Amino acid sequence: MTADSASIDLSNHFLMAMPGLEDPQFARSVVYVCEHSPRGAMGLIINHPASLTMPELFGKLDLPLLRTDLLAQPVMHGGPVQNERGFVLHDPIAQDAPADSPVFASTLRVPGGLEMTTSRDVLEALSSGAGPRRVLISLGCASWGEGQLESELAENAWLTVPADAAIVFDHPIEERYDRALGLLGLKSWMLSPQAGHA
């Protein structure tokens, strides 16, 4: 497969940072790619917790948090872009929701994968004890302009693998990088910090 942007679509994939990627925002990161097209790419880092707790986030929004399963869950630092904006990665609503379930105002459906909602109504649903069953809430996102991600892939900055929702929602944060590498049959000690080209 070439790095031609017209030929690859990494939506619903993980990007795993190679050891040589020294940008502190992305070191040992796992990014869930929400959107990838010839115009660029956008995703959320799923394994870098922010300093903000879930109760603090909902408090800033003047919302109670009645979902006890979320009380101990950290807010993620989703990336360096739009740090004040919330992004909610969640299971597809249609999958296990009754027909009268709410449809959120701004939801991106990732083909074959999860959904990402940026409108306040999803937080209001979670606040009231409802909303999607499994969620990851982040502040900020990662984005790449036209051809930028393809260029970074060609420079061996990232490994890619089809995403597994269990890694996003069910595994402890500190295990997500190694679990994502495991989807490729790799362990982090196998990766050289030097980018090599044959």
Side-chain angles (χ1 to χ4, degrees):
M1 185 181 298
T2 69
D4 177 13
S5 60
S7 66
I8 77 173
D9 178 359
L10 294 176
S11 300
N12 195 35
H13 279 64
F14 290 142
L15 302 176
M16 289 90 65
M18 289 290 283
L21 187 60
E22 294 173 355
D23 180 333
Q25 301 260 16
F26 291 105
R28 282 187 59 87
S29 67
V30 180
V31 178
Y32 178 82
V33 180
C34 300
E35 195 169 29
H36 187 205
S37 76
R39 295 184 312 277
M42 178 267 175
L44 300 173
I45 299 172
I46 64 163
N47 66 328
H48 288 184
S51 57
L52 194 66
T53 69
M54 206 67 81
E56 287 169 344
L57 174 66
F58 278 79
K60 284 179 178 243
L61 298 169
D62 294 321
L63 293 171
L65 182 52
L66 303 183
R67 283 274 299 265
T68 56
D69 59 313
L70 299 181
L71 291 174
Q73 183 176 311
V75 176
M76 290 290 123
H77 170 68
V81 179
Q82 299 181 11
N83 280 316
E84 295 301 313
R85 187 170 183 196
F87 297 84
V88 182
L89 195 59
H90 56 85
D91 285 318
I93 296 296
Q95 196 175 60
D96 54 7
D100 61 348
S101 290
V103 176
F104 301 116
S106 182
T107 297
L108 170 69
R109 287 173 177 79
V110 181
L114 302 174
E115 294 181 353
M116 189 215 29
T117 300
T118 55
S119 47
R120 181 182 167 98
D121 50 3
V122 68
L123 296 174
E124 290 169 349
L126 293 169
S127 161
S128 70
R133 185 175 66 83
R134 298 190 302 178
V135 297
L136 179 141
I137 298 177
S138 70
L139 292 175
C141 68
S143 69
W144 292 263
E146 182 178 345
Q148 186 180 359
L149 179 56
E150 290 78 11
S151 173
E152 291 180 14
L153 289 167
E155 293 165 4
N156 293 330
W158 301 98
L159 290 170
T160 66
V161 68
D164 177 349
I167 292 174
V168 176
F169 300 120
D170 301 334
H171 292 292
I173 294 163
E174 63 275 6
E175 293 179 12
R176 291 176 186 169
Y177 184 77
D178 289 324
R179 294 265 184 180
L181 287 177
L183 295 174
L184 291 171
L186 297 174
K187 297 197 179 296
S188 53
W189 60 264
M190 298 174 169
L191 303 178
S192 165
Q194 307 302 319
H197 297 278

